[in-house]
Amino acid sequence: SQWGEENLQALSIQEGEDVTMNCSYKTYTTVVHWYRQDSGRGPALIILIRSNEREKRSGRLRATLDTSSQSSSLSITAAQCEDTAVYFCATENTGGADRLTFGKGTQLIIQP
Amino acid sequence: ETAVFQTPNYHVTQVGNEVSFNCKQTLGHDTMYWYKQDSKKLLKIMFSYNNKQLIVNETVPRRFSPQSSDKAHLNLRIKSVEPEDSAVYLCASNWGGSYEQYFGPGTRLTVL
């Protein structure tokens, strides 16, 4: 899970396997963003899920959101080497500088 | 090309020096941000700024200051760098009414 005091999580899987990354958040939100950061680049939004969706799919990506448990997950089906990146979940906030609060990230490594 | 651009890519400097990083967005957005990303990939918001309002994260040391000439530019100045300032500084932008943020590639600062 991406929240709390844990360090950057690392997951290493073989190409072709499925993987799920979890995110639990502390403050109420109706939208969870998932960003991907490739080495040497800034994060980029890959999927966004709202509270009325429970599940959202985009290609090989699947995001879920459970507002009652304040948790979200991102699954990648049949992972490929190019999926290697750091994945962040982020929740929307109102007010303050932090319009988005980012989780600590999961380093995903896909082994050929 | 429409995107968020940052210069320089890398900067190495000595403790006590002043540095300045540039950020320009050609996306037509009205809000820009500076984040600090540490070696564990943790993203911390430093500032958010639109034409009307600068919001400063209260944990940011006073030696950091944003500088904006117009809504497409938000630079970051560090008056007297310290070793703990070594990090990647990421600039982002969005429409104030939207939460999705678009990031630049970052500037990696190393303080010796």
Side-chain angles (χ1 to χ4, degrees):
Chain A
S1 182
Q2 287 198 13
W3 238 264
E5 298 301 318
E6 298 90 5
N7 290 327
L8 173 70
Q9 279 197 306
L11 287 175
S12 181
I13 63 170
Q14 296 295 123
E15 195 171 25
E17 293 181 343
D18 300 342
V19 62
T20 296
M21 292 166 276
N22 297 305
C23 166
S24 53
Y25 52 90
K26 296 179 180 178
T27 57
Y28 176 78
T29 189
T30 58
V31 187
V32 172
H33 299 220
W34 282 91
Y35 281 74
R36 165 191 171 137
Q37 184 176 22
D38 294 322
S39 179
R41 305 188 71 169
L45 180 69
I46 54 174
I47 195 166
L48 179 155
I49 182 165
R50 303 182 187 280
S51 58
N52 62 351
E53 294 180 300
R54 286 191 63 85
E55 176 181 299
K56 183 88 167 278
R57 291 180 184 267
S58 176
R60 293 183 295 106
L61 303 178
R62 173 178 170 262
T64 66
L65 175 59
D66 183 347
T67 54
S68 63
S69 63
Q70 297 193 170
S71 64
S72 177
S73 70
L74 176 69
S75 298
I76 303 176
T77 303
Q80 301 172 3
C81 288
E82 51 264 37
D83 295 326
T84 293
V86 177
Y87 292 82
F88 296 94
C89 63
T91 56
E92 296 183 353
N93 309 304
T94 55
D98 53 344
R99 299 294 306 283
L100 289 178
T101 298
F102 284 85
K104 292 187 181 289
T106 298
Q107 170 71 67
L108 179 64
I109 299 169
I110 311 301
Q111 307 277 7
Chain B
E1 182 186 2
T2 55
V4 181
F5 302 94
Q6 290 185 241
T7 57
N9 295 326
Y10 304 93
H11 190 78
V12 181
T13 190
Q14 305 278 350
V15 170
N17 286 349
E18 177 175 317
V19 299
S20 187
F21 303 145
N22 301 313
C23 179
K24 170 186 173 181
Q25 56 93 6
T26 59
L27 296 163
H29 291 158
D30 61 1
T31 305
M32 298 183 72
Y33 307 83
W34 276 104
Y35 287 84
K36 179 181 180 181
Q37 186 171 43
D38 64 19
S39 59
K40 296 179 180 178
K41 302 295 185 181
L42 184 64
L43 282 163
K44 292 183 181 177
I45 184 73
M46 301 180 73
F47 308 99
S48 73
Y49 185 79
N50 64 22
N51 279 342
K52 301 173 184 175
Q53 192 176 18
L54 169 68
I55 302 176
V56 181
N57 184 324
E58 60 187 16
T59 66
V60 174
R62 290 180 177 270
R63 61 182 181 278
F64 290 85
S65 61
Q67 299 171 315
S68 178
S69 56
D70 55 55
K71 69 177 185 178
H73 297 82
L74 185 65
N75 300 330
L76 179 67
R77 186 180 77 157
I78 313 174
K79 257 186 172 177
S80 177
V81 296
E82 298 186 6
E84 60 264 32
D85 298 337
S86 294
V88 174
Y89 292 86
L90 289 160
C91 176
S93 70
N94 69 350
W95 286 109
S98 169
Y99 285 88
E100 178 183 357
Q101 294 181 13
Y102 293 76
F103 284 82
T107 294
R108 180 176 295 277
L109 173 65
T110 300
V111 180
L112 302 176

